[in-house]
Amino acid sequence: MNDDTQLERYLAGDTSLDALPDALQSEERRLKALVDTVRHDEPARAELFESVMQTVSTSSTPAWKRAVDWLFNPREIRVSPALAGVALAVIAAAIILVPSVEVPTGDAVAGTTPEASGVVTRFVFIAPEARSVSLTGDFVEWDADGIPLQQPQTNGVWTLDVPLEPGVYEYAFIIDGQEWRPDPLAMASADDGFGMENSVVIVAEGRT
Amino acid sequence: MTDLSDAAIVARVLSGQTDAFGVLVKRHQDSLIAYARHMGFDDATAHDIVQDGFVRAFRHLQRCGDPDRFDGWVFTIVSNLCRTVGKKRSRRVSEDLEAHADHLEAEGPGPDERAEAGIVRVHVRRALDSVPAEQREAIVLMYLHGHSVREIAERTDSSVSAVKMRLKRGREALKHELEPFMAEEAV
């Protein structure tokens, strides 16, 4: 067995250092000693732990979700009977006294509502077997719950319209609350840094 | 909680116990910092990379397919970040090492053993830096972290044969770069 083969067997862990020929053994010990001079055994600094935990504690609930929770979670509001009476009187007066207001329709309304301030972008995912499909991405800080897509009636096509400001976004779908999948219909993809791919959507001005 | 497995802690974090993530950080931070340093990053950058890696791991914890292998998964994240940051910084790191080596060499070999050891260390770092990233990673994981070929293959999402080849080529390149120091009395 030549030196190359023996070295390969050693590197693969199939044989020990002591089993190598003397010259090769000496060379390997020397190389290991040299590489060992750059060994760093100092532990991580305490600030690392503190920074990570501070970041994760503030990012565990995204701001948009906190806002949604604040809007939709029922809460108890205490109002004195006197204040409630005044409020009811003001509302009644407004209905009776204020002349009818012409309400703009169609695009005029849509263009002024905060929800429609972005470009409405449709996300589609075909999954006839799925029990739920959610959308997550950098526009929701990769929230693990995601935004639920609308459940299909028959054809397994899940859809969701999201208003997004013009820009480039990465996203993925979460199937049944667990499995993350890229969008097979995406216009582009990007390495997600975890050995998988994110889908990419480019939202242009005026796209609906 | 510190005696729980990684998988059990991951489950707690996913159920909303954010603080439990701290156990995973404390458990794995030292080896990840050491890895980032060994890949040629200075201390501050190594900490930035590992911090970013842990935050990404937390935000994407549901993507950790096998919570029992959380360590391998977070390593992959940090390893990918090292590559991304390394691409941006490789030229500057090389320039810094050149400057450092020139400075130490200008001092010349003297009776001060620490200075000599410093010269060797700079040359080893420079030699490692000159080895292609994938080969360097395999060398670092085997020589400095004591991982087997199979473990390296798992951690780097590569085949065993690819790791063997990287080790062999990386070792050859390193030996060539360090030829002047291969004699026993050089350190």
Side-chain angles (χ1 to χ4, degrees):
Chain A
M1 199 184 295
N2 63 29
D3 278 7
D4 263 2
T5 309
Q6 295 203 55
L7 182 62
E8 281 174 19
R9 283 174 51 78
Y10 162 72
L11 291 174
D14 295 334
T15 186
S16 70
L17 182 58
D18 293 336
L20 294 177
D22 286 349
L24 204 53
Q25 202 179 118
S26 166
E27 178 185 282
E28 182 59 14
R29 287 189 198 284
R30 185 74 197 132
L31 201 56
K32 284 177 93 167
L34 285 170
V35 174
D36 207 55
T37 60
V38 297
R39 181 182 291 281
H40 292 273
D41 286 329
E42 299 91 358
R45 294 198 305 264
E47 303 95 272
L48 174 69
F49 175 81
E50 289 160 12
S51 301
V52 171
M53 293 314 292
Q54 190 175 7
T55 308
V56 302
S57 63
T58 54
S59 69
S60 54
T61 308
W64 72 269
K65 198 172 180 194
R66 286 198 298 271
V68 168
D69 288 346
W70 184 84
L71 280 171
F72 291 102
N73 283 347
R75 72 198 65 225
E76 186 180 342
I77 300 174
R78 295 178 179 218
V79 181
S80 69
L83 185 59
V86 171
L88 283 172
V90 169
I91 292 168
I95 293 170
I96 295 164
L97 298 175
V98 175
S100 62
V101 177
E102 188 177 339
V103 178
T105 57
D107 292 344
V109 173
T112 55
T113 55
E115 290 79 10
S117 62
V119 179
V120 175
T121 307
R122 170 155 291 187
F123 292 86
V124 177
F125 192 79
I126 302 170
E129 306 297 324
R131 291 187 302 277
S132 71
V133 178
S134 301
L135 171 74
T136 189
D138 47 13
F139 42 87
V140 288
E141 298 182 26
W142 292 102
D143 177 52
D145 293 332
I147 311 171
L149 273 71
Q150 194 167 24
Q151 191 158 14
Q153 297 300 317
T154 54
N155 54 8
V157 180
W158 299 70
T159 58
L160 176 67
D161 291 336
V162 182
L164 294 172
E165 294 300 323
V168 180
Y169 300 95
E170 292 188 22
Y171 67 98
F173 292 110
I174 307 172
I175 315 304
D176 297 336
Q178 290 187 333
E179 187 185 350
W180 290 53
R181 280 199 219 160
D183 182 356
L185 306 173
M187 59 177 73
S189 60
D191 183 359
D192 72 348
F194 304 90
M196 292 174 63
E197 280 188 346
N198 288 331
S199 303
V200 175
V201 60
I202 300 168
V203 180
E205 294 275 358
R207 180 186 154 193
T208 55
Chain B
M1 194 187 295
T2 52
D3 55 346
L4 291 178
S5 68
D6 279 4
I9 296 170
V10 166
R12 290 193 178 204
V13 177
L14 288 175
S15 72
Q17 294 183 39
T18 306
D19 289 349
F21 193 71
V23 179
L24 295 173
V25 175
K26 284 195 170 165
R27 191 173 285 175
H28 300 294
Q29 62 180 359
D30 289 347
S31 63
L32 291 171
I33 282 287
Y35 168 77
R37 285 168 174 157
H38 292 148
M39 290 301 285
F41 295 102
D42 61 52
D43 196 55
T45 310
H47 276 77
D48 287 345
I49 289 171
V50 173
Q51 179 183 331
D52 192 7
F54 273 123
V55 171
R56 283 168 184 245
F58 175 81
R59 286 182 176 158
H60 300 265
L61 200 54
Q62 286 205 338
R63 289 195 189 194
C64 180
D66 182 0
D68 269 323
R69 306 300 308 273
F70 174 81
D71 61 333
W73 183 68
V74 73
F75 171 85
T76 304
I77 296 171
V78 169
S79 171
N80 286 338
L81 284 172
C82 281
R83 283 196 201 109
T84 306
V85 177
K87 281 177 193 162
K88 294 176 188 164
R89 295 175 53 98
S90 57
R91 174 175 288 181
R92 199 164 76 77
V93 170
S94 296
E95 286 168 357
D96 290 349
L97 283 171
E98 289 288 345
H100 191 189
D102 291 346
H103 170 70
L104 287 171
E105 281 163 354
E107 292 175 352
D112 189 341
E113 290 180 359
R114 286 179 63 190
E116 285 187 20
I119 291 171
V120 172
R121 206 161 41 241
V122 166
H123 278 280
V124 173
R125 281 197 192 120
R126 186 159 59 181
L128 276 169
D129 199 43
S130 73
V131 174
E134 288 183 334
Q135 295 172 21
R136 178 168 69 233
E137 183 175 53
I139 292 279
V140 161
L141 289 174
M142 182 177 186
Y143 283 72
L144 292 170
H145 291 245
H147 290 303
S148 69
V149 169
R150 192 166 298 280
E151 287 169 336
I152 297 169
E154 283 174 8
R155 286 187 166 234
T156 58
D157 197 23
S158 310
S159 68
V160 168
S161 57
V163 172
K164 284 180 184 174
M165 187 58 71
R166 285 173 201 161
L167 276 173
K168 191 181 174 197
R169 289 182 178 166
R171 186 185 178 283
E172 274 307 306
L174 202 58
K175 195 178 85 172
H176 176 73
E177 289 292 324
L178 294 173
E179 197 60 51
F181 300 92
M182 286 303 285
E184 283 293 334
E185 57 274 14
V187 174

